[in-house]
Amino acid sequence: MPQVYLSLGSNIDREQSIQQAIKQLTAEYGLLKISTVYESEAVGFEGDDFYNLVVGFETDLQWEQVQQQLRQIEEDNGRERGSEKFSSRTLDIDLLIYGDLDLQKQGVDLPRAEIFKYAFVLRPLAEIAGTECHPQSGESYAEIWERFDSTPQSLWAAALQF
């Protein structure tokens, strides 16, 4: 079964939204690997601080089925589609990694390019999947995090724990 990693973020009712997402993901996929919950400033717009984390699990579902379930969980938690890319949201769940699948050449952002761009994605991913390797670069997430310049992106551990 493929190992899957998701990035979760929220800055509207963030504690409740993240807790509910974890509850729903556990109900769908069973035991989850859960990173530290990090708090970060909004990136790309002015807004409240976000809670961000990464969760991992194994599944025999196809990536499209997982993606569909994630969209449903977002909607169940008040996510409204059609808003600007960089805006406040109750819940954002992104499929980061699905096994060693690489669909970039087919126009699907999998593995997510955000892994290399944002500390709030890479740091928690490296925390729970540090020895695993990126499907394209072949580097471990710990190695990628070690050389990542996180200085422009403030990130700190939040009080919320699982």
Side-chain angles (χ1 to χ4, degrees):
M1 282 194 289
Q3 180 68 44
V4 176
Y5 290 99
L6 313 174
S7 175
L8 283 71
S10 174
N11 77 333
I12 299 174
D13 296 326
R14 59 190 187 169
E15 187 170 324
Q16 177 184 338
S17 297
I18 295 295
Q19 287 175 338
Q20 185 60 31
I22 295 295
K23 181 179 177 182
Q24 289 180 267
L25 289 168
T26 300
E28 290 288 341
Y29 302 107
L31 184 64
L32 304 175
K33 292 182 190 176
I34 304 174
S35 75
T36 301
V37 178
Y38 292 95
E39 194 166 354
S40 66
E41 297 171 348
V43 174
F45 70 100
E46 293 292 323
D48 294 335
D49 291 348
F50 275 80
Y51 276 171
N52 295 283
L53 67 152
V54 168
V55 301
F57 55 87
E58 291 183 341
T59 183
D60 56 0
L61 295 176
Q62 296 298 310
W63 75 268
E64 298 95 337
Q65 294 170 295
V66 173
Q67 186 70 30
Q68 185 177 25
Q69 288 179 333
L70 300 179
R71 295 298 157 247
Q72 187 60 55
I73 292 170
E74 288 177 335
E75 290 173 18
D76 291 347
N77 287 280
R79 172 74 185 266
E80 295 181 17
R81 300 271 173 223
S83 61
E84 297 176 27
K85 178 177 175 150
F86 295 107
S87 63
S88 294
R89 52 198 57 188
T90 55
L91 188 61
D92 185 31
I93 307 176
D94 292 324
L95 179 58
L96 297 176
I97 303 290
Y98 181 91
D100 60 0
L101 199 58
D102 181 357
L103 298 177
Q104 291 290 336
K105 292 178 182 173
Q106 297 173 29
V108 178
D109 193 14
L110 191 61
R112 294 281 293 204
E114 293 177 349
I115 293 169
F116 292 100
K117 294 180 183 177
Y118 300 117
F120 62 82
V121 174
L122 181 55
R123 184 174 179 185
L125 179 61
E127 179 185 317
I128 64 171
T131 60
E132 294 185 41
C133 295
H134 190 275
Q136 294 170 323
S137 74
E139 300 169 285
S140 75
Y141 297 111
E143 291 170 330
I144 298 168
W145 174 246
E146 282 179 29
R147 69 171 193 279
F148 186 83
D149 180 11
S150 63
T151 51
Q153 300 176 27
S154 297
L155 191 67
W156 58 97
L160 183 61
Q161 296 181 3
F162 293 95

